[in-house]
Amino acid sequence: MRQAGVADYTALMIPERIGWPIHPRNEAGFGGVAPWFAQQIDLSAPYADWTGSSTSGTEFRTLDSLGSAPTAVPACVINLLGPPFASALPDTAGAAAMMAPEAALGIDCYCRGARIATPGGEKPIEALRIGEPVLTARNTVRPIRWIGRRRYAAAQIAQHQNLQPVLIRAGALGSNSHGPVPARDLRVSPEHGLALPDADGALVLTPANLLINGHSIVHDTAAADVEYFHIELREHDVVLAEGAAAESFVDDNSRALFDNAADFKARYPNEPVRPAKFCAPRVTGGRALAALRTRLERIADMQYGALRGFLDRADREVVGGWVHDPENPACAVSLEIVLNGEVIDAFVADRLRSDLERVAGGRCSFYWKWPRALDPARRCIVSVRRAGDGAEMPGSPLMLDQNDTMETALADLQFAEPEMRREMAAFLLRRADALEDALYGV
């Protein structure tokens, strides 16, 4: 525990897609690493920017400061750290404010009214009971082991977008032999995993908030109280909600976020703590997410607009910048990287940049590294284009000409990263050999 007056966070992990501004706090500092994360971040720097990986491969990143220190740690931080860290905070008015529930994050739930498939037909999730059987997407029957509940007032929901349900309109995910999927509008929490087929037809889980496109999948901003429910089976599985495949609850250090978390302990006092085991891979970025989003945009018959943006950097190591479609302001742009006519990768331009806050809330940038630094002796045509329709972003395509002079290569060498330096050193040696041959006629 740090002494009062120290403005500092230490060793704190924040998931990349939270979207919360994190500040140093004034009353008291604290330390500790949430046990489910693999690495640490020091947020003492006011504008820290870091990327890394958790044990599950999910990308994490600190968020930019807004430039002013609040009088308390946001409650989302406390909920992420969990009870062991929350209980270590000083017993002050500020600490009490930190424990407020309004910024709880990472909870995966269905909203009241979502109808879940059971052997006897669909039932509203709030009407289900522990022990009652439900149908899974694999057409098996599984009994409910536990039901989690959480409630938020309209004022809390209005203030915190990360608590707002995601509305998946009827038919937003496609259709099957029974009709549109989902059959009716479905509301879930932002992090709730929807089970969708990937490019190979295998089911993957994707958080609902990563699929928002402003048309068929949107934030539900209606000012009303929200009740979240989740059902836990013996194992993590995929159930049917309004006919759409979506995940059951799995305790990934998140049970404590439910209002009735103590009920589980009372029912299962001898339950050992086990690592979370997921029934399907979780897609949160990269080419797989871009492909899912593009498919859902086509189902929604989205009309794309002209792209705005800028390529801040495009060289043989990195392609980075920002891009935005003003006609679809709530939809992050899915991009493809094309090298000499071949699609190399795809991703969603949804990284946070505080200087672009007025453009899609700042979540419109990208920073992508070539899997291998491009050969400096090879002429390359690089294209950065929208995956949905192939529209080039401003500044694309561009040509990276070959380094045909020693002066150009040496100038580039001083700014290159280690891998690129090795490539350029090899190139320089080849050029030196060629010059020697030319001079001495070898």
Side-chain angles (χ1 to χ4, degrees), residues 104-112 114 125 150 152 157 161-168 186-194 206-212 217-220 226-230 246-249 254 257-258 282:
L105 300 166
I107 193 168
D108 306 342
C109 300
Y110 299 94
C111 288
R112 170 180 283 274
I125 192 167
R150 181 117 197 189
Y152 295 102
I157 295 293
Q161 190 179 70
N162 291 299
L163 299 180
Q164 292 174 359
V166 174
L167 169 60
I168 304 150
L186 173 65
R187 291 171 172 82
V188 298
S189 61
E191 294 292 327
H192 196 99
L194 302 176
T206 303
N209 63 332
L210 300 188
L211 300 174
I212 288 174
I217 303 177
V218 299
H219 278 293
D220 184 3
V226 172
E227 285 186 271
Y228 282 129
F229 298 81
H230 216 339
E247 66 179 335
S248 66
F249 175 69
S254 56
L257 297 178
F258 289 97
R282 201 168 185 87

Side-chain angles (χ1 to χ4, degrees), residues 20-320:
W20 276 88
I22 304 301
H23 306 270
R25 61 184 293 258
N26 289 332
E27 280 85 30
F30 62 93
V33 182
W36 56 95
F37 296 127
Q39 299 187 36
Q40 301 179 13
I41 300 177
D42 181 0
L43 292 188
S44 57
Y47 291 93
D49 189 14
W50 179 94
T51 56
S53 298
S54 72
T55 52
S56 62
T58 302
E59 188 180 16
F60 291 84
R61 178 159 56 85
T62 63
L63 303 184
D64 289 336
S65 164
L66 294 184
S68 60
T71 57
V73 175
C76 62
V77 173
I78 306 307
N79 283 314
L80 280 167
L81 291 178
F85 300 99
S87 61
L89 289 165
D91 185 14
T92 65
M98 297 174 214
M99 297 304 294
E102 60 265 27
L105 300 166
I107 193 168
D108 306 342
C109 300
Y110 299 94
C111 288
R112 170 180 283 274
R115 292 189 282 188
I116 308 298
T118 76
E122 292 182 320
K123 293 184 68 173
I125 192 167
E126 66 272 17
L128 295 173
R129 297 293 179 264
I130 292 175
E132 191 169 351
V134 296
L135 289 176
T136 72
R138 298 173 177 84
N139 202 31
T140 59
V141 177
R142 296 282 185 267
I144 297 174
R145 191 160 185 257
W146 184 70
I147 301 176
R149 298 177 176 86
R150 181 117 197 189
R151 183 185 180 92
Y152 295 102
Q156 295 170 308
I157 295 293
Q159 292 176 16
H160 304 293
Q161 190 179 70
N162 291 299
L163 299 180
Q164 292 174 359
V166 174
L167 169 60
I168 304 150
R169 301 191 192 280
L173 306 181
S175 61
N176 57 26
S177 58
H178 301 289
V181 178
R184 293 163 291 276
D185 289 355
L186 173 65
R187 291 171 172 82
V188 298
S189 61
E191 294 292 327
H192 196 99
L194 302 176
L196 301 169
D198 65 9
D200 299 319
L203 282 185
V204 295
L205 295 170
T206 303
N209 63 332
L210 300 188
L211 300 174
I212 288 174
N213 55 32
H215 294 268
S216 60
I217 303 177
V218 299
H219 278 293
D220 184 3
T221 57
D225 294 354
V226 172
E227 285 186 271
Y228 282 129
F229 298 81
H230 216 339
I231 55 175
E232 181 177 17
L233 312 180
R234 172 58 66 176
E235 297 174 339
H236 190 227
D237 212 327
V238 175
V239 298
L240 297 172
E242 306 293 4
E247 66 179 335
S248 66
F249 175 69
V250 61
D251 184 15
D252 190 19
N253 295 286
S254 56
R255 192 185 303 278
L257 297 178
F258 289 97
D259 292 337
N260 64 329
D263 175 64
F264 182 88
K265 185 66 175 178
R267 290 176 180 274
Y268 308 103
N270 299 318
E271 181 79 4
V273 177
R274 299 185 180 92
K277 185 177 180 180
F278 296 90
C279 66
R282 201 168 185 87
V283 169
T284 59
R287 196 167 194 163
L289 178 62
L292 289 173
R293 288 179 58 91
T294 299
R295 188 170 79 223
L296 298 183
E297 289 166 9
R298 289 170 177 163
I299 291 172
D301 194 25
M302 277 183 54
Q303 302 301 305
Y304 296 119
L307 293 174
R308 293 180 55 211
F310 189 77
L311 278 174
D312 299 311
R313 178 178 175 185
D315 53 36
R316 297 177 186 273
E317 298 177 78
V318 169
V319 178

